[in-house]
Amino acid sequence: MSAQLTESLARIVGPDHVLLDAQLIEPYVVDWTRRWQGSAIAVVRPGTTDEVAGVVRACLDAGVAMQVQGGNTGLVGGSIPSADGSTVVISTRRLQRMDPVDETAGQVTVGSGVTLGELQRHARAAGWAYGVDLAARDSATIGGTVATNAGGIRVIAYGMTRAQVTGIEAVLPNGEIVEHLAGLAKDNTGYDLAGLLTGAEGTLGIITAVRLRLHRPTSDTSIAFIGVDDYTDAMRLLHGAVAPGHRLLAAEVVDDTGIDLAMAISDLVWPWPNRHRLGLLLEVADGGTGEGFDAAALDSLDVVIGIDRGEQERLWAYRELQSEAFTTHAAGTSGGVAHKMDISVPLAHLADCAEQLRIRMLEYPAVVAFGVFGHLGDGNIHVEISGPAPDDDEVDRRVLSVVSAYGGAVSAEHGIGRAKTAWLSASRSDSEINAMQAIKRAWDPAGLLNPGVLFTGQ
Ligand SMILES: Cc1cc2nc3c(=O)[nH]c(=O)nc-3n(C[C@H](O)[C@H](O)[C@H](O)COP(=O)(O)OP(=O)(O)OC[C@H]3O[C@@H](n4cnc5c(N)ncnc54)[C@H](O)[C@@H]3O)c2cc1C
C-alpha cells in the first residue's frame, strides 16, 4: 500500500485502527470455517459513519479495492478479501451506536457493528424482542445480518432480516452517505434503498446503522424434540403436532450423523430410547406448560419435552452445535475443513431432495461424513460434508445440481459470497443477473467494493 494511502487512513481513523502487521491482520483474512482464506494490505477499523465515508473516499482516490467485514461469521467466503493481497479490509465492528428503544414505534436504531446478541439483550431489557436469532449471535453483527438478509431459527414466526429493517444508513461506493432512519410505517417516496442494500452482501454500500422493527415477547415456551425416520414424518408433525391456538416459534431438524457428532464434542447423550434418522425440534409459545403440543399426534413417538430453561438449552444444543460439530469432525479428516452448503427447495420436494442428497453423497468416495440440519418450516437444509479437500468443488457441484433439479435456491440464507458465484445462474435468470449487474455498475463503476463477491470477476 502506498505510504500516502496509509497516512490518509491513519489520519481518518487514528493510527491504532489501521492494522498493517500480518499477525494482526490474520483473523480478518480467514473465515470462521477456515475454508476461505485471503490476504489484505491493511485492515481499517472506522469508529463513525463519517470515518467510513473518509476511508471509502481515500481508497477510491487510490484505486484500491475494499472488503467489508462485520463479525466474519458468514459461511460463504463473502467477508474475506481475495488472495491477491490488493485489498483493504474495512471492519465495521467499532460502529457501536445503540439508541434507546423507541417505545411508541416499537423500533430501535443501532450501529452496524453491534452484535446480534447485544441487540437481543438491549431489546429484552426494554421489554421487547428482536425477531432474528441464529447460533452465531455473539459474533455476527447487525450490519452483516442485514447485508446477508440472514434467516435463522425464528423465520417461521417473524420472517427473514429483511422483514425487520425499517430504515438504513450507509456509505455508498462513491463515499456518499445515505441516511433514511425515520422508520416510517408508510413511506412511498421513491426507491427502497434499505431494501436494495439488504441482502446485497456489501456489494452496493457499507451499512453503518440500521433501524429495526421489534416485537412484543411471546409467553414462555415449550419444546418437543421428536425422533422421526424421514422428512415426510417431520413435515406431517410440523403441521400436526402443534395444538390449535398456540404459536409455533421454531421448527428445526437435525439428522442422526449430526447428533452423533454433537455428542462427540459435548456431554450430550442420545436423546431417545430408540435410534432415529432425524430429530425434529418444535418450540411453541404456550406459557411453558407443554400444552402447546397435540398429545394425540405425539402419542407413541419418542419425544423429549423441555419446559424449564436448562432443559430447553440442552435440547437446542443438539441443533446449535451442528456447524461446530462438523467443522471439528472435518478437521480430523484429510480434507481438513467442512464443506457447508445452505439450500432451500419447495416444501413439497424437501423429503425427496434430502434423500437424493444422501444417496449422491454416500456414493462420493471422498465423503467421510455427511449430514443435514436446518429450518424445516422454511424448506431450508444446511448440508455439511467432511472428508473432501477444501478445493474439491465437485462435491459442492453435486449437491447444488440436486437442488437445481428440484427448483430450489443454491443459497437459502447465507448468500452467494465468493463460494457460489458460479452458481448464481442456477437460481436466477440471465435478465435478473443483468439487472443486478447494471445496478452494481451504476453504484460502483470502478468495481472496488467487495470485488468477487456475488458476481464472478467483478
Ligand atoms: C455457527 C453459525 C451458525 C449460523 N447460523 C446461521 C443461520 O441460522 N442463518 C443465517 O442466515 N446465517 C447463519 N450463519 C451465517 C452468518 O452468521 C450470517 O451470514 C451473518 O449474517 C453474518 O454476519 P457477520 O457480521 O458475521 O457478517 P460477515 O461474515 O462479516 O459478512 C458477511 C457478508 O456481509 C457483508 N457485510 C458485513 N457487514 C457489512 C456491512 N456493515 N455493510 C455491508 N456489508 C456488510 C460482508 O462483506 C460479507 O459479504 C451462521 C454462522 C455460524 C458460524
Side-chain angles (χ1 to χ4, degrees):
M1 184 163 65
S2 75
Q4 203 185 350
L5 179 57
T6 315
E7 272 168 36
S8 308
L9 295 176
R11 226 182 4 258
I12 295 162
V13 300
D16 289 352
H17 298 296
V18 181
L19 313 183
L20 298 167
D21 180 86
Q23 249 182 329
L24 296 176
I25 288 178
E26 214 263 345
Y28 297 86
V29 297
V30 180
D31 83 332
W32 188 88
T33 68
R34 303 201 73 78
R35 186 175 177 201
W36 308 106
Q37 310 198 356
S39 161
I41 38 182
V43 174
V44 191
R45 304 190 304 169
T48 65
T49 303
D50 284 339
E51 287 182 9
V52 175
V55 168
V56 169
R57 282 195 298 267
C59 289
L60 201 56
D61 289 348
V64 166
M66 295 162 269
Q67 171 64 51
V68 194
Q69 189 180 97
N72 199 11
T73 66
L75 300 170
V76 288
S79 54
I80 294 300
S82 62
D84 62 12
S86 63
T87 309
V88 167
V89 172
I90 302 176
S91 166
T92 59
R93 285 186 229 172
R94 288 182 63 233
L95 298 170
Q96 288 289 320
R97 170 176 176 180
M98 182 88 93
D99 287 9
V101 168
D102 177 341
E103 297 280 348
T104 314
Q107 298 183 4
V108 67
T109 301
V110 295
S112 60
V114 167
T115 67
L116 181 54
E118 286 164 345
L119 168 62
Q120 289 169 345
R121 287 189 286 279
H122 180 62
R124 207 175 301 132
W128 293 83
Y130 182 53
V132 176
D133 194 15
L134 45 86
R137 61 183 73 79
D138 290 322
S139 308
T141 62
I142 291 305
T145 57
V146 172
T148 57
N149 184 26
I153 58 180
R154 300 289 182 213
V155 172
I156 200 163
Y158 302 111
M160 304 272 286
T161 297
R162 184 183 298 285
Q164 325 305 324
V165 175
T166 63
I168 212 155
E169 178 193 79
V171 175
L172 301 184
N174 63 3
E176 256 185 74
I177 298 170
V178 287
E179 197 250 44
H180 200 67
L181 289 168
L184 300 176
K186 292 188 169 178
D187 184 359
N188 281 344
T189 54
Y191 294 161
D192 176 9
L193 299 182
L196 199 51
L197 288 157
T198 304
E201 301 188 45
T203 57
L204 296 180
I206 303 177
I207 299 162
T208 48
V210 192
R211 177 96 173 160
L212 296 162
R213 179 171 288 119
L214 301 176
H215 303 270
R216 280 294 181 202
T218 61
S219 70
D220 286 345
T221 65
S222 303
I223 289 178
F225 194 35
I226 313 162
V228 294
D229 290 315
D230 54 34
Y231 267 91
T232 308
D233 284 351
M235 289 302 299
R236 190 174 46 75
L237 288 165
L238 173 67
H239 298 297
V242 180
H246 296 286
R247 186 168 188 191
L248 182 62
L249 292 180
E252 300 284 312
V253 286
V254 190
D255 75 5
D256 53 350
T257 307
I259 294 175
D260 286 339
L261 295 185
M263 286 161 52
I265 59 161
S266 67
D267 59 2
L268 293 173
V269 296
W270 185 258
W272 312 285
N274 302 298
R275 201 67 205 174
H276 294 281
R277 285 268 297 279
L278 283 180
L280 169 64
L281 186 152
L282 298 175
E283 182 168 8
V284 292
D286 63 353
T289 59
E291 287 168 6
F293 297 108
D294 183 325
L298 299 186
D299 191 34
S300 79
L301 298 177
D302 273 355
V303 188
V304 184
I305 299 286
I307 303 282
D308 70 77
R309 179 164 286 250
E311 179 64 359
Q312 293 195 345
E313 280 174 6
R314 200 181 66 82
L315 294 177
W316 265 113
Y318 288 97
R319 162 66 182 84
E320 297 220 312
L321 284 173
Q322 287 304 301
S323 201
E324 185 185 336
F326 275 93
T327 298
T328 308
H329 182 262
T333 68
S334 59
V337 297
H339 288 239
K340 295 172 184 288
M341 274 161 282
D342 143 59
I343 54 104
S344 70
V345 286
L347 283 174
H349 298 316
L350 192 57
D352 288 348
C353 177
E355 184 54 18
Q356 271 308 311
L357 285 174
R358 199 176 70 85
I359 293 168
R360 296 294 301 275
M361 287 304 104
L362 291 182
E363 66 192 21
Y364 194 74
V367 171
V368 178
F370 160 77
V372 291
F373 65 91
H375 317 297
L376 180 73
D378 317 327
N380 180 185
I381 309 178
H382 295 314
V383 177
E384 297 269 344
I385 303 159
S386 59
D391 60 354
D392 184 344
D393 295 335
E394 172 59 16
V395 73
D396 301 24
R397 198 193 64 75
R398 287 191 182 205
V399 170
L400 298 180
S401 55
V402 170
V403 174
S404 289
Y406 284 101
V410 297
S411 170
E413 50 179 23
H414 297 162
I416 296 295
R418 294 182 188 281
K420 294 182 189 166
T421 51
W423 283 90
L424 183 59
S425 57
S427 293
R428 305 302 288 261
S429 67
D430 286 351
S431 37
E432 285 179 295
I433 294 171
N434 287 342
M436 291 186 217
Q437 288 181 328
I439 297 169
K440 170 71 175 166
R441 276 193 300 275
W443 284 29
D444 183 13
L448 291 179
L449 193 63
N450 278 12
V453 174
L454 192 51
F455 307 114
T456 318
Q458 280 210 355

